[in-house]
């Protein structure tokens, strides 16, 4: 359920003004409105401008003070702390959640977070502890999470590929990925979109992805190209603008044949890019893909392709990547953020939304 954003989220409406304090539900709605604010760095809060996460956490803390045993409030508060990089604080909140769980399903959900973020911190003792607790409650699910964490490790441990010359064959992945030679239409190129400019034109970052796509299209002339992205500007989706660019700026004077390009025009985020693309690729019996994106994004999209296949009954699609080289080397702080974003997206991909206080729920 998406709640419409209110311009002044810190200002009570007419009905709330009649009450001494906003209700728990009021506070959750304000927190979600802040979280979904269109300008993530410019949210009004008590005559200040703060980040959307800071504002959302402020209202969630108020809601928590009203109902300290409300598991969903605590859980969402902890998750938003992971978004900020405050993992120790998040883990403490998740441990608090565990003491208030009322059902096996709640315990499993909280233990999933505790296991995943202990793994992120490379705390082997606590990772083993939470994994053991999950095994005692639900062995098949614990085994699924073991495969889930293995996929994260695998993607993050491999060096970034920024040269098309390194893509003669698929990387030697094991389950759930199958090594496949890139030699026919069983292989595809997949390029996720990037926010269009207000007039509907392509942003420089997206043009860079498409330029690399063009190079790879020449290297793999039998491979179809899937462009994925909705979020229209001036009535133009990312996918449509990407296809037009490739057709006009393609590998020869005539551009890339439009029939070679598959449009996916509905995705609004990276998880959608992967989920919707997988469905189209399966329909076409594709067995290997190369995802193309920026250095800061390509591991996330590759990981999502792999995570979303963990529970699929479709034949496995092998995934590798080629990244647009960053203009400046990725420093340690940026690398840590990329790693954290991979864990965050992986959790969302297995059905754990960032804001999870029903009926107030948002990816």
């Amino acid at each position: 359920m998406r709640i419409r954003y209110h311009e002044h989220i810190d200002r009570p409406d007419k009905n709330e003004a009649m009450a001494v304090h906003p209700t728990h539900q009021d506070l959750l709605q304000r927190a979600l409105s802040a979280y979904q604010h269109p300008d993530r760095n410019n949210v009004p809060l008590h005559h200040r401008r703060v980040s959307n996460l800071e504002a959302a956490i402020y209202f969630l803390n108020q809601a928590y003070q009203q109902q300290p045993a409300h598991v969903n409030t605590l859980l969402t508060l902890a998750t938003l702390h992971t978004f900020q990089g405050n993992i120790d604080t998040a883990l403490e909140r998740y441990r608090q959640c565990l003491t208030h769980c009322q059902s096996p399903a709640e315990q499993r959900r909280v233990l999933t977070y505790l296991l995943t973020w202990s793994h992120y911190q490379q705390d082997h003792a606590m990772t083993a502890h939470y994994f053991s607790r999950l095994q005692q409650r639900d062995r098949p699910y614990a085994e699924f999470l073991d495969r889930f964490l293995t996929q994260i490790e695998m993607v993050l441990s491999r060096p970034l590929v920024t040269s098309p010359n390194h893509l003669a064959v698929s990387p030697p992945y094991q389950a759930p990925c199958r090594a496949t030679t890139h030699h026919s239409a069983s292989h595809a190129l997949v390029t996720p979109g990037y926010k269009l400019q207000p007039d509907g034109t392509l942003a420089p970052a997206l043009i860079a992805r498409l330029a690399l796509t063009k190079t790879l299209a020449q290297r793999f002339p039998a491979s179809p190209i899937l462009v994925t992205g909705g979020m229209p500007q001036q009535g133009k989706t990312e996918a449509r603008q990407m296809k037009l660019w490739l057709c006009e700026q393609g590998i020869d004077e005539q551009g890339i044949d439009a029939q070679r390009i598959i449009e996916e025009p509905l995705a609004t985020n990276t998880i959608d890019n992967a989920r919707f693309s997988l469905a189209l690729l399966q329909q076409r019996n594709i067995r290997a893909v190369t995802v193309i994106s920026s250095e800061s994004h390509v591991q996330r999209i590759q990981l999502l392709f792999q995570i979303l296949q963990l529970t699929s009954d479709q034949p496995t699609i092998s995934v590798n990547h080629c990244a647009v080289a960053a203009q400046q080397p990725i420093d340690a702080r940026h690398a840590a953020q990329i790693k954290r974003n991979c864990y965050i997206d992986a959790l969302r991909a297995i059905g754990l939304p960032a804001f999870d206080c029903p009926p107030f729920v948002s990816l």
Side-chain angles (χ1 to χ4, degrees), residues 245-256:
W245 190 96
L246 288 169
C247 289
E248 295 170 359
Q249 308 286 333
I251 58 179
D252 53 40
E253 292 182 0
Q254 287 74 43
I256 294 175

Side-chain angles (χ1 to χ4, degrees), residues 19-20 26 28 30 48 60 62 88 129 152 167 178 199 215 228 236 242 244 286 291 297 302 312 333 362:
V20 176
D26 294 332
L28 293 180
R30 293 184 191 183
R48 296 186 299 127
L60 285 169
Q62 288 192 323
D88 289 334
H129 170 73
I152 298 176
L167 291 172
R178 183 186 309 154
D199 62 358
T215 300
T228 166
K236 304 168 185 175
M242 294 162 74
L244 289 174
I286 298 297
V291 292
H297 182 256
Q302 178 177 356
S312 173
R333 182 172 177 272
S362 179

